[in-house]
Amino acid sequence: MDGPSETEPLLRPAQVQRKVTNDIPGEGYSESVQDEANRLASAVMLIFNRVIGTGIFASPSIILRSSGSVGMTFIMWILGALVASAGTAVYVEFGTGLPRSGGEKTYMEYIYRRPRFMITCFYAIYGLLIGWLSASSVVFGECKFHSLLVALLCSTFCLVIHGAFLNYGLKLQNALGVFKLFVLLIIAVSGLFSLAGVPGFAVRAGYEIPHNFTWSSFWEGSDTGLNAFVTGMYNVIWSYIGYSNANYALSEVRDPIRTIKRAAPLAMVLVAVAYMSVNVAYFAVVSKQDMLGGGTMAAALFFRNIFGPATERILSVVIALSALGNIMSILFTQGRVVQELGREGVLPFSSFFASNKPFNAPLSGLFAQWLISAIVMTAAPPGDAYLFIVNFSSYPLTMFNLLISGGLLLLYTPAFKSYAWRPPFRAWKFVVVFFFLSNVFLAIVPMIPPSPGSDVYERLPYWSHVVLALSIGLLGIIYWFIFFDWIPRKRGYRIVQETVLQDDGVSRNVLRRIPNGSGDEGPAQM
């Protein structure tokens, strides 16, 4: 497959998103080395911002409780990096084989073509109703103000800047990614300096000096129980989620094949190195007992021990800015997924969702994501809000990854030879199998009753997010059955798609009702 010209910048204002991406004229434009670097950096930050939200500041303590020892904690982080690497390889293969926006939607439609429209309806309901940016918005609101209103204002700011000021939104998004990387670098270097005994970086007087890296203490307390290991790995794997973020906006990527092949692995290498380095820093400065005791997050203990208690206040600002970058990255891509769904014509008001009016950006898709996220944030029960939203929005990703990795294995079989699947990049088959099995693990674990005293929620049953997530998928299948199967059979027509061009320059599909027994040129009913 030939990719588009390499003489085009990474992200352009959303205009006509193409069904294929090898038709962009490149004459008359010469991309400099700086332009190419900016293109790659924007794609890397789109992924980096999505993966690294706020978990790295708190999750090490949670994972240590599950693993029981520092050594087992590092083993879990390494295993999580391997799962993320496998997922990255799967999505790079699909991104190079189908270089257009939509992510999972595009790939599942390609694999599961029958019954027609069913997989699109299944995914469309999730795309509209999940509220992907709710969790990070809640974190932003709680970091400094403990306010739902602040969370809503944060998501509204992201809506406005991405919907009306696209270029400024991208610049701010990239800047927040660089800031996040800089903060993690400060933590990592400070921790290594403390471990090496560099003057000025020793643990302050009054706080316990850790000895986490002696051989005996490194493995002390290791919990080899299956339940604890499963719980820890579940948290680690979700800390790496986001490697597919650039795939959602590939139609707006110049030279998408070359870019995704470079950007996704580079971003995930940065993530893995950041996670491992920051964990080393935490355990170099904070004792295991402090990490396990109390509800203070690992990053706050780190800043307290090495820079003094006054710096703990700065951490709330750092976490808030990290959450803001995460929200912007999610909204940027998920708004385009909704736009792609509008272009398929299966949703009510499809022309509204497909539009780029009035600011040459997918404001309608962004607004849909903002509205649903605001509803989810408001409706989630107090105390359980953040964890429920995270679990509720994460579980559908497991189902999509199962369908995609399983579908990729099918594409390798003789039964799918007619698909002629020959992407420019191929993941090793054992890597795809490994990714598939890891998602089987993630799908089953939430259904296992927690051990006594380890309840997932304060007020909700442990399986509540699973049931709600599955119910939404069932709603999509019911929607397909009623409007694309039962009613057409009852009224004697079939549904076909045709492509039209809107007055804002956006192409989209519209559905035509063709009476049974007539050709496609017969009288159509819209």
Side-chain angles (χ1 to χ4, degrees):
M1 179 181 295
D2 295 329
S5 169
E6 294 183 7
T7 60
E8 303 170 43
L10 170 64
L11 293 172
R12 60 181 174 83
Q15 296 171 354
V16 180
Q17 288 188 318
R18 305 164 305 282
K19 286 295 181 184
V20 293
T21 54
N22 58 0
D23 57 353
I24 307 175
E27 293 83 358
Y29 181 90
S30 179
E31 183 179 58
S32 66
V33 174
Q34 184 64 44
D35 291 331
E36 184 175 359
N38 290 338
R39 170 168 56 85
L40 182 63
S42 291
V44 168
M45 285 304 158
L46 194 62
I47 298 170
F48 186 81
N49 258 328
R50 173 64 180 90
V51 179
I52 298 186
T54 58
I56 187 58
F57 302 109
S59 57
S61 300
I62 298 171
I63 293 162
L64 178 61
R65 291 189 190 99
S66 299
S67 66
S69 72
V70 176
M72 284 298 295
T73 296
F74 280 101
I75 287 177
M76 287 182 176
W77 281 107
I78 292 170
L79 289 175
L82 292 177
V83 173
S85 299
T88 301
V90 168
Y91 275 91
V92 169
E93 176 167 345
F94 273 115
T96 58
L98 300 167
R100 59 178 184 264
S101 293
E104 298 97 345
K105 166 195 167 293
T106 299
Y107 312 146
M108 290 191 294
E109 286 176 342
Y110 178 82
I111 301 167
Y112 306 106
R113 304 178 185 182
R114 295 290 184 273
R116 197 177 183 200
F117 302 117
M118 187 177 77
I119 200 69
T120 304
C121 293
F122 173 77
Y123 185 86
I125 301 300
Y126 281 114
L128 282 177
L129 298 183
I130 287 297
W132 305 98
L133 60 147
S134 309
S136 293
S137 298
V138 169
V139 169
F140 183 92
E142 290 183 350
C143 279
K144 191 73 178 173
F145 308 99
H146 302 280
S147 170
L148 175 62
L149 176 61
V150 174
L152 292 172
L153 289 174
C154 171
S155 58
T156 302
F157 168 78
C158 297
L159 167 67
V160 172
I161 197 167
H162 272 328
F165 306 98
L166 179 60
N167 288 333
Y168 290 108
L170 286 171
K171 289 177 181 178
L172 177 59
Q173 184 173 287
N174 289 347
L176 289 170
V178 172
F179 168 77
K180 195 183 304 185
L181 188 59
F182 178 69
V183 170
L184 295 178
L185 183 63
I186 289 176
I187 294 174
V189 171
S190 299
L192 290 175
F193 282 179
S194 179
L195 195 63
V198 175
F201 291 90
V203 175
R204 295 195 167 221
Y207 303 114
E208 184 179 355
I209 298 176
H211 301 283
N212 293 320
F213 292 104
T214 62
W215 184 254
S216 58
S217 62
F218 193 66
W219 299 104
E220 183 182 5
S222 295
D223 191 336
T224 56
L226 181 62
N227 190 280
F229 179 79
V230 164
T231 302
M233 281 306 304
Y234 191 80
N235 283 284
V236 169
I237 290 173
W238 281 122
S239 296
Y240 282 99
I241 287 296
Y243 39 77
S244 63
N245 209 41
N247 295 65
Y248 297 122
L250 279 183
S251 291
E252 296 184 54
V253 175
R254 304 292 189 169
D255 185 17
I257 294 174
R258 182 176 179 179
T259 300
I260 196 68
K261 285 171 67 176
R262 294 179 175 184
L266 178 56
M268 293 312 297
V269 166
L270 282 175
V271 168
V273 170
Y275 278 170
M276 296 301 295
S277 301
V278 169
N279 271 279
V280 169
Y282 288 159
F283 287 112
V285 172
V286 183
S287 69
K288 179 181 173 182
Q289 289 70 28
D290 279 353
M291 196 90 77
L292 292 173
T296 307
M297 63 177 60
L301 295 170
F302 175 88
F303 277 95
R304 183 202 68 183
N305 285 13
I306 202 168
F307 298 120
T311 58
E312 288 186 71
R313 303 189 196 100
I314 300 174
L315 183 63
S316 61
V317 177
V318 171
I319 294 176
L321 291 175
S322 182
L324 178 61
N326 189 251
I327 296 163
M328 293 188 70
S329 179
I330 295 171
L331 185 61
F332 180 87
T333 53
Q334 292 302 320
R336 281 149 180 81
V337 170
V338 175
Q339 186 179 52
E340 285 295 310
L341 291 169
R343 287 173 178 166
E344 291 302 321
V346 300
L347 294 175
F349 312 110
S350 287
S351 61
F352 170 76
F353 291 119
S355 175
N356 270 332
K357 291 182 177 180
F359 301 109
N360 204 26
L363 181 59
S364 302
L366 297 169
F367 175 77
Q369 282 293 304
W370 174 87
L371 180 62
I372 295 300
S373 295
I375 293 172
V376 171
M377 282 188 282
T378 305
D384 289 329
Y386 174 73
L387 189 57
F388 176 80
I389 290 171
V390 169
N391 292 337
F392 170 58
S393 59
S394 298
Y395 198 79
L397 291 177
T398 298
M399 293 190 290
F400 300 152
N401 287 338
L402 268 174
L403 290 169
I404 286 169
S405 54
L408 187 55
L409 292 173
L410 291 176
L411 290 176
Y412 298 156
T413 63
F416 283 73
K417 188 177 181 180
S418 62
Y419 281 52
W421 180 247
R422 289 185 292 271
F425 172 85
R426 291 288 294 266
W428 291 325
K429 187 176 291 187
F430 80 88
V431 170
V432 182
V433 172
F434 176 63
F435 185 59
F436 175 79
L437 293 177
S438 71
N439 281 283
V440 172
F441 166 82
L442 289 174
I444 293 175
V445 166
M447 302 180 191
I448 301 173
S451 55
S454 303
D455 293 335
V456 178
Y457 303 116
E458 295 177 12
R459 299 176 176 85
L460 298 172
Y462 69 91
W463 41 259
S464 56
H465 65 278
V466 176
V467 171
L468 184 57
L470 293 175
S471 299
I472 289 177
L474 181 60
L475 182 64
I477 294 175
I478 292 173
Y479 173 77
W480 165 82
F481 176 76
I482 293 174
F483 292 101
F484 293 88
D485 184 73
W486 182 65
I487 292 179
R489 281 191 289 107
K490 184 178 180 181
R491 297 185 179 178
Y493 65 83
R494 66 186 186 277
I495 296 175
V496 298
Q497 285 180 316
E498 66 176 19
T499 302
V500 299
L501 191 67
Q502 296 185 155
D503 57 4
D504 60 356
V506 173
S507 62
R508 69 180 182 91
N509 292 324
V510 295
L511 303 182
R512 298 171 58 204
R513 300 173 183 175
I514 306 297
N516 291 335
S518 65
D520 285 349
E521 301 303 322
Q525 307 169 44
M526 300 301 289

